[in-house]
Amino acid sequence: MGVMEKIKEIEAEMARTQKNKATNYHLGTLKAKLAKLRNELLIEQSGGGGGGPSEGFDVARLGDARVALIGFPSVGKSTLQCKLTGTESEAAAYEFTTLTCIPGTMHYKGSKVQVLDLPGIIEGAAHGKGRGKEVIACARNADAILIVLDAGKEGLNRHREILETELETVGIRLNQRPPDVTFNKKTTGGVRFSSTVPLTKLGPDPEKLALQIMREYRITSADLLAREDITVDQLVDVIVGNRVYKPCCYFYNKIDTITIEEVDQLARMPHSLVGSVHKRFNVGEPDEDDALKAMIWRYLGLTRIYTKRKGQHPDLAEPVVLSAIRKGTSVRALCQNISTQMIRDF
């Protein structure tokens, strides 16, 4: 039986199993097996021995932050990137117009944000369909993800749910923070499991479940300390160790094709913004301030710092832009951006 057949078999068994305290241990074991098989499938497709997809489009990292545009074909990603950055990208009425990664730079509040227009992906991209492997590799390396959706198709096709599942499958966690769990592998000494809070989501015997999941990955010696009430999925993520946590916002394009009631429903979705590139709703020209640019700025966690030389006026033209995702927004991060000599001196 191949890896894909094993994955489908486990997914079917999980769908049949009722979720309650009695089945928590069994479901946890299945989730660990599923995560392991998916990881093996990604390694097999990439032809390497790493912990996930490593191949991507060869694009130099520029600017203060990087945002990847993810979406199905023909949702308006190329036109949107043109409005954000001024970069000319081929746009047409047929699908798969963009076949490679087109980079552009968005100038906003003194910052330079690299925006990547990626080829449209389809269901099954996490398993290598289309150019899914390269697109997802770019998403893993971005500071934030902007998922572009067609408002007119969302009600029937569930594109948002499909894209979230594809990214989740390859270990990209959207709008989540890493669980407060310390996990260290050892060579000897067995497994030590402890927690500082009651673990109510891991069934009646959390330690037994943790040991079983580690056994799936052939881990016989490790220290695990949980400082929050984690779920089975979070426990698997900690043990697997190759997960990435990305801020993600959703832009529902083409709202001029749906009713006002449908627009209101989409606008109430979490982390979402509705608009229309064609009608310029919430999206302006590259040099204009608009709701989408403001949302991207907020999700990137960017901060402007204005500096001044001794005895001179502050430089209000070119601020130092710090990113909470990259180096942080501390005084040390500011010194690193200006000159490492300042760190050595002070």
Side-chain angles (χ1 to χ4, degrees), residues 134-170:
E134 292 91 338
V135 172
I136 289 171
C138 271
R140 288 181 70 94
N141 293 325
D143 296 307
I145 296 172
L146 175 60
I147 293 182
V148 185
L149 300 157
D150 187 334
K153 299 178 180 178
E154 183 59 25
L156 297 174
N157 297 314
R158 303 180 297 103
H159 284 173
R160 175 170 177 155
E161 181 183 334
I162 292 170
L163 291 173
E164 287 175 339
T165 301
E166 294 296 325
L167 296 175
E168 181 93 4
T169 298
V170 294

Side-chain angles (χ1 to χ4, degrees), residues 2 4 9 25 32 41 50 59 70 130 164 175 181 239 269 279 283 298 345:
M4 277 300 299
E9 187 178 284
Y25 176 78
L41 184 64
V59 180
I70 301 290
E164 287 175 339
N175 297 318
V181 178
I239 293 173
M269 297 287 287
K279 296 291 185 179
V283 182
R298 188 170 69 252
D345 290 346

